[in-house]
Amino acid sequence: KRRDELQVFLKEKGIETLLKAWDSLNYRLWIAGEGPLFKEIKKRAPASAEFLGWLSHEEILERLNKAAFFIFPSEWYEGFPLSLLEAMALGKAIIASDLGPRREMITDGTSGLLFEAGNSKDLRSKIETLIGDPALRIQLGRTARETYLARYTPEKNYQILMNVYEHVLQS
């Protein structure tokens, strides 16, 4: 049963796809988080992967701020990933799987790069693009930050909520 649990976990979070895409890249990969399958996942990782384990929210943001870009490989339809918003707020270039709201949050080629969920070759291509093009990383990060400021700040969300209330009251 443990092997089945590992496969489900790796599939949902996209860790296996990420590790396969990262294989033989000579570029450091930070992986934050831990759980019951941490040791098994670590065994499968390429040498350039550094497992950070559990980090506080503050430590996560500190690492994210130092990172060249952020990868969200999830193969699960996650509602509205806070980690994507945090990367956008910090002005980081993002590579994300193309499922659900990620297609609305990230404009492919403008505010980030989208890859076909579960496709390690497509993910690797996007990773190599960002590794090889620092100017693109900066531009994608800048646009991601602008998108965050235009759509996702607490003030913007408050305005949207108030508009919904006003619309309902006028109906």
Side-chain angles (χ1 to χ4, degrees):
K1 185 176 178 178
R2 188 113 169 106
R3 181 77 178 143
D4 292 341
E5 289 174 6
L6 176 63
Q7 291 304 321
V8 169
F9 176 78
L10 294 176
K11 179 82 174 143
E12 288 176 357
K13 292 299 181 181
I15 303 279
E16 191 166 279
T17 301
L18 174 60
L19 294 178
K20 189 183 284 186
W22 208 272
D23 189 44
S24 76
L25 283 176
N26 189 20
Y27 202 80
R28 184 182 302 176
L29 171 65
W30 286 332
I31 300 175
E34 61 183 39
L37 305 172
F38 182 75
K39 290 179 183 173
E40 293 179 55
I41 294 166
K42 200 171 177 179
K43 287 178 194 173
R44 295 174 157 205
S48 59
E50 180 182 345
F51 287 80
L52 306 173
W54 183 88
L55 299 174
S56 69
H57 186 250
E58 183 178 289
E59 290 170 315
I60 291 279
L61 294 178
E62 189 178 304
R63 284 287 182 150
L64 181 55
N65 202 33
K66 292 177 183 176
F69 52 92
F70 177 71
I71 302 174
F72 190 84
S74 182
E75 296 173 29
W76 189 254
Y77 285 89
E78 300 188 34
F80 197 76
L82 182 59
S83 59
L84 285 181
L85 284 182
E86 291 170 336
M88 293 170 80
L90 290 172
K92 291 297 164 182
I94 298 168
I95 302 173
S97 53
D98 64 351
L99 296 175
R102 287 161 258 178
R103 289 179 290 203
E104 295 172 21
M105 295 173 75
I106 298 168
T107 303
D108 190 37
T110 303
S111 60
L113 300 176
L114 296 174
F115 73 95
E116 181 186 352
N119 185 333
S120 62
K121 290 180 183 172
D122 191 24
L123 174 54
R124 175 141 182 152
S125 171
K126 307 298 173 151
I127 292 167
E128 289 174 336
T129 295
L130 289 190
I131 288 173
D133 194 342
L136 178 61
R137 286 195 313 257
I138 291 168
Q139 183 56 47
L140 292 175
R142 186 175 294 131
T143 305
R145 171 85 176 146
E146 290 167 2
T147 301
Y148 170 80
L149 292 173
R151 296 185 193 165
Y152 301 118
T153 64
E155 295 80 17
K156 288 290 180 185
N157 280 279
Y158 176 78
Q159 287 174 347
I160 291 168
L161 180 61
M162 294 310 292
N163 289 341
V164 169
Y165 285 149
E166 287 176 26
H167 179 73
V168 168
L169 290 173
Q170 291 174 3
S171 297

PDB file of all heavy atoms in Angstrom, residues 44-62:
ATOM      1  N   ARG A  44      14.782   9.505  -5.100  1.00  0.00           N
ATOM      2  CA  ARG A  44      14.575   9.584  -6.548  1.00  0.00           C
ATOM      3  C   ARG A  44      15.127  10.862  -7.173  1.00  0.00           C
ATOM      4  O   ARG A  44      15.132  11.011  -8.383  1.00  0.00           O
ATOM      5  CB  ARG A  44      13.080   9.545  -6.855  1.00  0.00           C
ATOM      6  CG  ARG A  44      12.421   8.269  -6.500  1.00  0.00           C
ATOM      7  CD  ARG A  44      10.942   8.441  -6.718  1.00  0.00           C
ATOM      8  NE  ARG A  44      10.320   7.161  -6.920  1.00  0.00           N
ATOM      9  CZ  ARG A  44       9.203   6.985  -7.583  1.00  0.00           C
ATOM     10  NH1 ARG A  44       8.586   8.004  -8.106  1.00  0.00           N
ATOM     11  NH2 ARG A  44       8.707   5.786  -7.729  1.00  0.00           N
ATOM     12  N   ALA A  45      15.526  11.783  -6.354  1.00  0.00           N
ATOM     13  CA  ALA A  45      15.879  13.119  -6.834  1.00  0.00           C
ATOM     14  C   ALA A  45      17.261  13.169  -7.477  1.00  0.00           C
ATOM     15  O   ALA A  45      18.169  12.446  -7.085  1.00  0.00           O
ATOM     16  CB  ALA A  45      15.823  14.099  -5.676  1.00  0.00           C
ATOM     17  N   PRO A  46      17.423  14.071  -8.453  1.00  0.00           N
ATOM     18  CA  PRO A  46      18.755  14.285  -9.019  1.00  0.00           C
ATOM     19  C   PRO A  46      19.670  14.960  -7.997  1.00  0.00           C
ATOM     20  O   PRO A  46      19.200  15.549  -7.016  1.00  0.00           O
ATOM     21  CB  PRO A  46      18.485  15.212 -10.213  1.00  0.00           C
ATOM     22  CG  PRO A  46      17.152  15.810  -9.988  1.00  0.00           C
ATOM     23  CD  PRO A  46      16.393  14.890  -9.091  1.00  0.00           C
ATOM     24  N   ALA A  47      20.962  14.859  -8.217  1.00  0.00           N
ATOM     25  CA  ALA A  47      21.955  15.394  -7.281  1.00  0.00           C
ATOM     26  C   ALA A  47      21.812  16.901  -7.071  1.00  0.00           C
ATOM     27  O   ALA A  47      22.151  17.415  -6.007  1.00  0.00           O
ATOM     28  CB  ALA A  47      23.362  15.060  -7.777  1.00  0.00           C
ATOM     29  N   SER A  48      21.303  17.616  -8.051  1.00  0.00           N
ATOM     30  CA  SER A  48      21.185  19.072  -7.940  1.00  0.00           C
ATOM     31  C   SER A  48      19.985  19.510  -7.100  1.00  0.00           C
ATOM     32  O   SER A  48      19.819  20.694  -6.845  1.00  0.00           O
ATOM     33  CB  SER A  48      21.103  19.703  -9.327  1.00  0.00           C
ATOM     34  OG  SER A  48      19.990  19.192 -10.028  1.00  0.00           O
ATOM     35  N   ALA A  49      19.152  18.556  -6.669  1.00  0.00           N
ATOM     36  CA  ALA A  49      17.984  18.889  -5.846  1.00  0.00           C
ATOM     37  C   ALA A  49      18.379  18.983  -4.383  1.00  0.00           C
ATOM     38  O   ALA A  49      19.067  18.123  -3.856  1.00  0.00           O
ATOM     39  CB  ALA A  49      16.890  17.844  -6.029  1.00  0.00           C
ATOM     40  N   GLU A  50      17.949  20.040  -3.746  1.00  0.00           N
ATOM     41  CA  GLU A  50      18.193  20.243  -2.321  1.00  0.00           C
ATOM     42  C   GLU A  50      16.846  20.260  -1.606  1.00  0.00           C
ATOM     43  O   GLU A  50      15.988  21.104  -1.896  1.00  0.00           O
ATOM     44  CB  GLU A  50      18.924  21.563  -2.087  1.00  0.00           C
ATOM     45  CG  GLU A  50      19.220  21.836  -0.640  1.00  0.00           C
ATOM     46  CD  GLU A  50      19.911  23.175  -0.426  1.00  0.00           C
ATOM     47  OE1 GLU A  50      20.415  23.775  -1.392  1.00  0.00           O
ATOM     48  OE2 GLU A  50      19.937  23.618   0.737  1.00  0.00           O
ATOM     49  N   PHE A  51      16.649  19.321  -0.714  1.00  0.00           N
ATOM     50  CA  PHE A  51      15.404  19.218   0.033  1.00  0.00           C
ATOM     51  C   PHE A  51      15.520  20.041   1.306  1.00  0.00           C
ATOM     52  O   PHE A  51      16.364  19.775   2.151  1.00  0.00           O
ATOM     53  CB  PHE A  51      15.078  17.757   0.334  1.00  0.00           C
ATOM     54  CG  PHE A  51      14.615  17.021  -0.882  1.00  0.00           C
ATOM     55  CD1 PHE A  51      15.522  16.549  -1.812  1.00  0.00           C
ATOM     56  CD2 PHE A  51      13.263  16.836  -1.111  1.00  0.00           C
ATOM     57  CE1 PHE A  51      15.096  15.883  -2.950  1.00  0.00           C
ATOM     58  CE2 PHE A  51      12.823  16.172  -2.242  1.00  0.00           C
ATOM     59  CZ  PHE A  51      13.744  15.686  -3.158  1.00  0.00           C
ATOM     60  N   LEU A  52      14.672  21.038   1.422  1.00  0.00           N
ATOM     61  CA  LEU A  52      14.739  21.977   2.534  1.00  0.00           C
ATOM     62  C   LEU A  52      13.925  21.523   3.731  1.00  0.00           C
ATOM     63  O   LEU A  52      14.097  22.054   4.825  1.00  0.00           O
ATOM     64  CB  LEU A  52      14.236  23.354   2.074  1.00  0.00           C
ATOM     65  CG  LEU A  52      14.928  23.925   0.845  1.00  0.00           C
ATOM     66  CD1 LEU A  52      14.239  25.207   0.392  1.00  0.00           C
ATOM     67  CD2 LEU A  52      16.406  24.170   1.116  1.00  0.00           C
ATOM     68  N   GLY A  53      13.040  20.565   3.534  1.00  0.00           N
ATOM     69  CA  GLY A  53      12.174  20.122   4.621  1.00  0.00           C
ATOM     70  C   GLY A  53      11.118  21.167   4.920  1.00  0.00           C
ATOM     71  O   GLY A  53      10.824  22.040   4.109  1.00  0.00           O
ATOM     72  N   TRP A  54      10.558  21.057   6.120  1.00  0.00           N
ATOM     73  CA  TRP A  54       9.520  21.994   6.529  1.00  0.00           C
ATOM     74  C   TRP A  54      10.144  23.347   6.799  1.00  0.00           C
ATOM     75  O   TRP A  54      11.174  23.460   7.463  1.00  0.00           O
ATOM     76  CB  TRP A  54       8.803  21.501   7.782  1.00  0.00           C
ATOM     77  CG  TRP A  54       7.681  22.409   8.167  1.00  0.00           C
ATOM     78  CD1 TRP A  54       6.391  22.338   7.725  1.00  0.00           C
ATOM     79  CD2 TRP A  54       7.738  23.550   9.029  1.00  0.00           C
ATOM     80  NE1 TRP A  54       5.636  23.354   8.261  1.00  0.00           N
ATOM     81  CE2 TRP A  54       6.448  24.124   9.079  1.00  0.00           C
ATOM     82  CE3 TRP A  54       8.754  24.143   9.767  1.00  0.00           C
ATOM     83  CZ2 TRP A  54       6.142  25.249   9.824  1.00  0.00           C
ATOM     84  CZ3 TRP A  54       8.445  25.277  10.511  1.00  0.00           C
ATOM     85  CH2 TRP A  54       7.160  25.808  10.539  1.00  0.00           C
ATOM     86  N   LEU A  55       9.519  24.401   6.274  1.00  0.00           N
ATOM     87  CA  LEU A  55       9.961  25.771   6.519  1.00  0.00           C
ATOM     88  C   LEU A  55       8.767  26.593   6.972  1.00  0.00           C
ATOM     89  O   LEU A  55       7.624  26.335   6.565  1.00  0.00           O
ATOM     90  CB  LEU A  55      10.529  26.396   5.238  1.00  0.00           C
ATOM     91  CG  LEU A  55      11.742  25.740   4.594  1.00  0.00           C
ATOM     92  CD1 LEU A  55      12.065  26.403   3.264  1.00  0.00           C
ATOM     93  CD2 LEU A  55      12.943  25.806   5.524  1.00  0.00           C
ATOM     94  N   SER A  56       9.025  27.596   7.779  1.00  0.00           N
ATOM     95  CA  SER A  56       7.957  28.513   8.177  1.00  0.00           C
ATOM     96  C   SER A  56       7.551  29.326   6.944  1.00  0.00           C
ATOM     97  O   SER A  56       8.281  29.380   5.944  1.00  0.00           O
ATOM     98  CB  SER A  56       8.450  29.456   9.274  1.00  0.00           C
ATOM     99  OG  SER A  56       9.411  30.364   8.750  1.00  0.00           O
ATOM    100  N   HIS A  57       6.411  29.972   7.036  1.00  0.00           N
ATOM    101  CA  HIS A  57       5.948  30.813   5.928  1.00  0.00           C
ATOM    102  C   HIS A  57       6.979  31.900   5.617  1.00  0.00           C
ATOM    103  O   HIS A  57       7.269  32.178   4.453  1.00  0.00           O
ATOM    104  CB  HIS A  57       4.579  31.420   6.260  1.00  0.00           C
ATOM    105  CG  HIS A  57       3.992  32.172   5.129  1.00  0.00           C
ATOM    106  ND1 HIS A  57       3.861  33.533   5.130  1.00  0.00           N
ATOM    107  CD2 HIS A  57       3.508  31.748   3.924  1.00  0.00           C
ATOM    108  CE1 HIS A  57       3.317  33.921   3.990  1.00  0.00           C
ATOM    109  NE2 HIS A  57       3.098  32.859   3.241  1.00  0.00           N
ATOM    110  N   GLU A  58       7.526  32.479   6.638  1.00  0.00           N
ATOM    111  CA  GLU A  58       8.546  33.518   6.457  1.00  0.00           C
ATOM    112  C   GLU A  58       9.772  32.963   5.728  1.00  0.00           C
ATOM    113  O   GLU A  58      10.322  33.610   4.833  1.00  0.00           O
ATOM    114  CB  GLU A  58       8.951  34.085   7.820  1.00  0.00           C
ATOM    115  CG  GLU A  58       9.945  35.221   7.739  1.00  0.00           C
ATOM    116  CD  GLU A  58      10.277  35.775   9.113  1.00  0.00           C
ATOM    117  OE1 GLU A  58       9.397  36.424   9.704  1.00  0.00           O
ATOM    118  OE2 GLU A  58      11.415  35.549   9.573  1.00  0.00           O
ATOM    119  N   GLU A  59      10.206  31.761   6.107  1.00  0.00           N
ATOM    120  CA  GLU A  59      11.363  31.133   5.452  1.00  0.00           C
ATOM    121  C   GLU A  59      11.056  30.785   3.990  1.00  0.00           C
ATOM    122  O   GLU A  59      11.926  30.935   3.123  1.00  0.00           O
ATOM    123  CB  GLU A  59      11.775  29.870   6.199  1.00  0.00           C
ATOM    124  CG  GLU A  59      12.387  30.141   7.566  1.00  0.00           C
ATOM    125  CD  GLU A  59      12.554  28.881   8.388  1.00  0.00           C
ATOM    126  OE1 GLU A  59      11.617  28.043   8.445  1.00  0.00           O
ATOM    127  OE2 GLU A  59      13.647  28.726   8.983  1.00  0.00           O
ATOM    128  N   ILE A  60       9.837  30.354   3.742  1.00  0.00           N
ATOM    129  CA  ILE A  60       9.426  30.057   2.358  1.00  0.00           C
ATOM    130  C   ILE A  60       9.530  31.318   1.504  1.00  0.00           C
ATOM    131  O   ILE A  60      10.096  31.304   0.403  1.00  0.00           O
ATOM    132  CB  ILE A  60       7.979  29.509   2.309  1.00  0.00           C
ATOM    133  CG1 ILE A  60       7.907  28.128   2.923  1.00  0.00           C
ATOM    134  CG2 ILE A  60       7.419  29.529   0.894  1.00  0.00           C
ATOM    135  CD1 ILE A  60       8.328  26.998   2.034  1.00  0.00           C
ATOM    136  N   LEU A  61       8.984  32.420   2.009  1.00  0.00           N
ATOM    137  CA  LEU A  61       9.020  33.678   1.250  1.00  0.00           C
ATOM    138  C   LEU A  61      10.455  34.160   1.048  1.00  0.00           C
ATOM    139  O   LEU A  61      10.789  34.686  -0.021  1.00  0.00           O
ATOM    140  CB  LEU A  61       8.168  34.743   1.937  1.00  0.00           C
ATOM    141  CG  LEU A  61       6.669  34.472   1.973  1.00  0.00           C
ATOM    142  CD1 LEU A  61       5.943  35.585   2.731  1.00  0.00           C
ATOM    143  CD2 LEU A  61       6.096  34.306   0.574  1.00  0.00           C
ATOM    144  N   GLU A  62      11.293  33.961   2.044  1.00  0.00           N
ATOM    145  CA  GLU A  62      12.707  34.342   1.933  1.00  0.00           C
ATOM    146  C   GLU A  62      13.391  33.540   0.819  1.00  0.00           C
ATOM    147  O   GLU A  62      14.113  34.099  -0.005  1.00  0.00           O
ATOM    148  CB  GLU A  62      13.392  34.097   3.278  1.00  0.00           C
ATOM    149  CG  GLU A  62      14.786  34.639   3.377  1.00  0.00           C
ATOM    150  CD  GLU A  62      15.358  34.397   4.767  1.00  0.00           C
ATOM    151  OE1 GLU A  62      14.729  34.828   5.748  1.00  0.00           O
ATOM    152  OE2 GLU A  62      16.434  33.763   4.848  1.00  0.00           O
TER     153      GLU A  62
END
